[in-house]
Amino acid sequence: MNTKKSSECPLCGGAKKPGKTIFSVELGFGVVVVRHVPATVCAQCGADWIDDEVAAHLEQYVDEARRKHSQVEVFSYA
Ligand SMILES: [Zn+2]
């Protein structure tokens, strides 16, 4: 278990800052991409972490893409 401060990137030790990231998931029949997702981003290596509530919201985009069954679905996080 990593006991480092949560404000420190576990990968490189850089500073984690609020930022935006891009979320993508492979569904088998297609791909879902969500842009401008709020996330915590490492200023040094670019690793990102998405909050639980944001991740829950992303599920809705995934569900919508599943319903549409589109090969590529690109959303902007809102
Ligand atoms: Zn890092």
Side-chain angles (χ1 to χ4, degrees):
M1 192 70 182
N2 199 329
T3 54
K4 275 186 181 177
K5 283 183 298 181
S6 62
S7 60
E8 212 170 79
C9 174
L11 303 177
C12 74
K16 286 157 79 176
K17 293 179 175 171
K20 295 276 172 71
T21 191
I22 186 163
F23 169 85
S24 63
V25 62
E26 167 66 58
L27 294 177
F29 59 84
V31 176
V32 183
V33 178
V34 186
R35 304 167 68 206
H36 311 301
V37 178
T40 303
V41 182
C42 174
Q44 194 159 299
C45 74
D48 51 54
W49 296 265
I50 295 173
D51 287 347
D52 285 349
E53 62 184 70
V54 173
H57 192 52
L58 289 172
E59 283 297 311
Q60 296 174 17
Y61 293 109
V62 173
D63 286 346
E64 187 177 333
R66 269 206 189 94
R67 272 200 305 276
K68 290 183 180 173
H69 221 264
S70 41
Q71 277 202 320
V72 180
E73 196 70 40
V74 181
F75 299 98
S76 262
Y77 189 92

